[in-house]
Amino acid sequence: MSIYQHFRPEEKEFIDQALNWIGQARNLYSPKLTDFLDPRALHILRTLLGNDHEISLYTFSVITDAERKRAILCPDYFIPADDDFQVSLFELAYPKKFVSIDHRQVLGTLMSLGLKREKFGDIIISGDHIQFLAAAEIEDYLLANLEKIGKASVSLKKIDFEEILQPDEQWDEQTITVSSMRMDAIISSALNLSRQKAQALVESGKVKLNFKQTESSSIECLEGDILSIRGFGRCRILSVDGKTKKEKWKVTVGRLK
């Protein structure tokens, strides 16, 4: 039986990478540090690791409800310290009186520097203060190259984790029951919309699944998935808790306020 059949076809590349990480930790008997992983990728990694008694999985997070985390796979002799995760925290300095900068602009600018999304953690915005987490290995490149966001001149300052902001955004957790795990059913129940309205949102290109646009409302949602719905914010599938007596799925979701 192929391991891939338990996951989506488009997740094969990440599954191969994750299996390689686990193999490196086991065969070299040394820690393996990952890039920043979203909740779905982290769920896949945990599933692949299963009840492995030789390799442990640790993650690093300095904010409540962090969406992206670096992880370390390691033999049981090794317990990582915070420094082992090689994460840097930056704060943006910009002319706050004259310019407003949003999450999308920050991410777009970071990506335009030619760096992979996996090298960045969460972007934290609280009022007019903006911070973000990044892999320590790109620290020097960021400090040398991030000079503008849009038309605004900006500068970066590396700061200690004790100075981290808690984001303005908060996740509300709720339990829903759905007839199936189809995307339109999840959106309908989580957002309290009609099934027809939920289908229309997906099919008109207003929904992203794990940050990639999809126009198929029949896709089955899985644990760890993040749904970004234009005009409604984000939903995260926290856990799939089995079926009720009436054969409906019981699902715990987080919704971004």
Side-chain angles (χ1 to χ4, degrees), residues 10-248:
E10 63 269 22
E11 292 173 335
K12 182 180 184 300
E13 184 178 350
F14 177 75
I15 291 165
D16 289 341
Q17 183 180 42
L19 289 170
N20 186 47
W21 289 337
I22 294 169
Q24 286 182 52
R26 180 179 290 109
N27 298 332
L28 299 177
Y29 203 60
S30 64
K32 174 60 185 175
L33 175 65
T34 75
D35 286 331
F36 285 95
L37 305 177
D38 64 35
R40 175 62 186 164
L42 201 49
H43 173 73
I44 292 172
L45 184 56
R46 286 195 175 106
T47 301
L48 294 174
L49 197 58
N51 296 317
D52 195 306
H53 298 297
E54 296 179 20
I55 305 299
S56 298
L57 174 67
Y58 295 87
T59 61
F60 177 74
S61 173
V62 285
I63 59 171
T64 306
D65 290 324
E67 201 162 88
R68 307 178 72 87
K69 301 174 184 178
R70 288 197 101 167
I72 289 178
L73 292 154
C74 55
D76 53 13
Y77 75 86
F78 185 85
I79 298 176
D82 288 353
D83 287 350
D84 292 315
F85 290 91
Q86 298 178 35
V87 174
S88 299
L89 174 64
F90 295 99
E91 182 151 358
L92 273 176
Y94 65 100
K96 297 180 175 69
K97 288 185 179 180
F98 308 104
V99 177
S100 62
I101 295 175
D102 62 24
H103 184 286
R104 180 183 55 82
Q105 291 173 302
V106 177
L107 179 57
T109 301
L110 292 173
M111 298 292 287
S112 73
L113 296 175
L115 297 163
K116 292 181 180 179
R117 179 64 182 97
E118 291 79 12
K119 293 299 179 184
F120 302 102
D122 288 28
I123 297 166
I124 307 150
I125 298 179
S126 182
D128 57 7
H129 292 276
I130 300 173
Q131 300 175 348
F132 65 88
L133 295 152
E137 59 265 29
I138 63 169
E139 181 180 310
D140 292 342
Y141 185 82
L142 283 171
L143 291 168
N145 290 281
L146 186 57
E147 299 175 340
K148 275 187 174 294
I149 294 181
K151 295 180 180 179
S153 294
V154 302
S155 61
L156 270 188
K157 178 186 177 186
K158 185 181 177 184
I159 59 175
D160 294 331
F161 291 126
E162 289 76 17
E163 300 176 67
I164 198 163
L165 301 166
Q166 290 302 319
D168 289 339
E169 54 191 33
Q170 298 289 326
W171 290 87
D172 274 338
E173 192 172 313
Q174 61 177 315
T175 299
I176 60 174
T177 53
V178 288
S179 56
S180 78
M181 292 299 295
R182 281 174 51 121
M183 185 183 295
D184 53 1
I186 295 289
I187 292 173
S188 172
S189 187
L191 303 185
N192 197 24
L193 301 173
S194 70
R195 189 78 170 261
Q196 188 176 12
K197 173 69 172 174
Q199 287 175 350
L201 285 169
V202 179
E203 290 163 9
S204 61
K206 293 181 179 177
V207 176
K208 289 184 178 179
L209 173 64
N210 299 326
F211 311 103
K212 295 177 183 176
Q213 189 170 318
T214 177
E215 295 178 9
S216 173
S217 57
S218 63
I219 288 177
E220 296 274 314
C221 288
L222 303 169
E223 194 167 311
D225 280 345
I226 295 176
L227 300 173
S228 308
I229 304 110
R230 196 183 310 162
F232 293 90
R234 291 204 296 275
C235 291
R236 186 189 296 173
I237 311 294
L238 300 175
S239 62
V240 180
D241 308 315
K243 287 190 172 183
T244 67
K245 291 179 180 178
K246 294 184 178 180
E247 289 297 299
K248 289 194 171 185

